[in-house]
Amino acid sequence: MTTPEILFEDGETLVIDKPAGLPIERPRKGGHSLEDHLEALKLGFQRPPVPVHRLDTDTSGCLLLARNPKALKRFNRAFEDRLVGKTYLGVLDGLPQGEEGTIELSLAKISSAEKGWRMIAAKKGKPAITHWRVLATQNGKALIEFGPETGRTHQIRIHALAGLGAPLLGDPVYGRVHGKSSGAARTMLHAAALSIPREGKPPVNATAPFPADFAALGFADPVG
């Protein structure tokens, strides 16, 4: 059980490169989760670090952890105040219209006994804003840079489908073939970079390595 790579570290925070497939919280059915790594991530501190935000199980990349309650409170406030810079990379299962833009689609949660719960674009939902631009195209698929202003559940996944007209490759819930991976072993979404300003301290800046499964599709690291 390899401890996730540390991308940024100081006295109040860690940013780790969360592997795809690793859930933040222990699944109800049991199994491996981030909780198994928190003891190793203490790194000499008394308390284990605490995740400040959430990434879907399939999503890889930058995950912010707070090392004490005061830091957790400040970082939570930064997320609420939309001060956190977030850059995601996603592989779209199709090609969007245009090269860049902003998606403003409110999101709401629905559930049913047959399909469980999911998010949908709905006028009466919570406001959600995502900026996007095409970085590259390959074999009818597009590498997209997403910059979400808000942090709604499944925001990028729904905005890709409803705003760009195509789902993320491999999305088992919102993909072209529901319940199947449709060409990828996971939802192709990666938290590539994270930045947080801090009063009286240098900002938190972290960048996660370009995922191997993105490269295997023929896409190159946009910053490499």
Side-chain angles (χ1 to χ4, degrees):
M1 187 171 66
T2 305
T3 302
E5 179 185 356
I6 296 171
L7 305 173
F8 179 95
E9 177 185 2
D10 69 8
E12 66 177 19
T13 185
L14 297 172
V15 180
I16 63 169
D17 183 10
K18 187 188 86 65
L22 181 69
I24 302 292
E25 297 171 341
R26 184 86 60 199
R28 289 183 181 178
K29 59 185 178 182
H32 191 41
S33 75
L34 179 66
E35 293 175 17
D36 296 311
H37 298 284
L38 295 180
E39 189 67 25
L41 289 169
K42 284 166 67 173
L43 301 174
F45 280 59
Q46 284 191 320
R47 297 185 179 93
V50 177
V52 179
H53 57 124
R54 293 290 180 265
L55 294 177
D56 290 345
T57 297
D58 268 2
T59 304
S60 55
C62 296
L63 179 70
L64 179 72
L65 308 175
R67 294 181 118 168
N68 61 65
K70 287 184 179 179
L72 178 61
K73 187 175 182 179
R74 284 198 302 272
F75 289 138
N76 279 333
R77 190 180 308 119
F79 274 92
E80 290 167 6
D81 294 342
R82 300 187 187 179
L83 299 176
V84 180
K86 296 168 285 185
T87 301
Y88 286 78
L89 299 176
V91 177
L92 201 68
D93 192 10
L95 301 176
Q97 294 287 323
E99 293 296 316
E100 62 182 331
T102 297
I103 302 163
E104 297 189 49
L105 288 172
S106 296
L107 303 179
K109 182 178 178 180
I110 62 169
S111 62
S112 67
E114 304 83 38
K115 294 184 178 180
W117 71 270
R118 65 182 59 205
M119 303 299 290
I120 59 168
K123 289 183 179 179
K124 293 186 178 180
K126 294 181 179 179
I129 302 170
T130 306
H131 307 289
W132 65 276
R133 66 185 179 108
V134 176
L135 297 178
T137 58
Q138 190 78 240
N139 300 321
K141 298 174 176 55
L143 178 65
I144 308 288
E145 179 185 277
F146 293 100
E149 274 193 32
T150 50
R152 308 300 180 197
T153 301
H154 295 183
Q155 175 173 320
I156 293 174
R157 295 165 67 183
I158 292 294
H159 277 182
L161 177 64
L164 299 182
L168 293 177
L169 183 68
D171 193 322
V173 177
Y174 309 108
R176 296 193 187 282
V177 184
H178 297 315
K180 296 184 179 180
S181 62
S182 67
R186 58 136 168 166
T187 303
M188 298 298 280
L189 186 61
H190 177 64
L194 186 72
S195 64
I196 308 171
R198 295 187 292 182
E199 190 173 343
K201 291 185 178 183
V204 174
N205 283 312
T207 302
F210 193 64
D213 52 358
F214 278 54
L217 293 171
F219 292 108
D221 185 346
V223 299

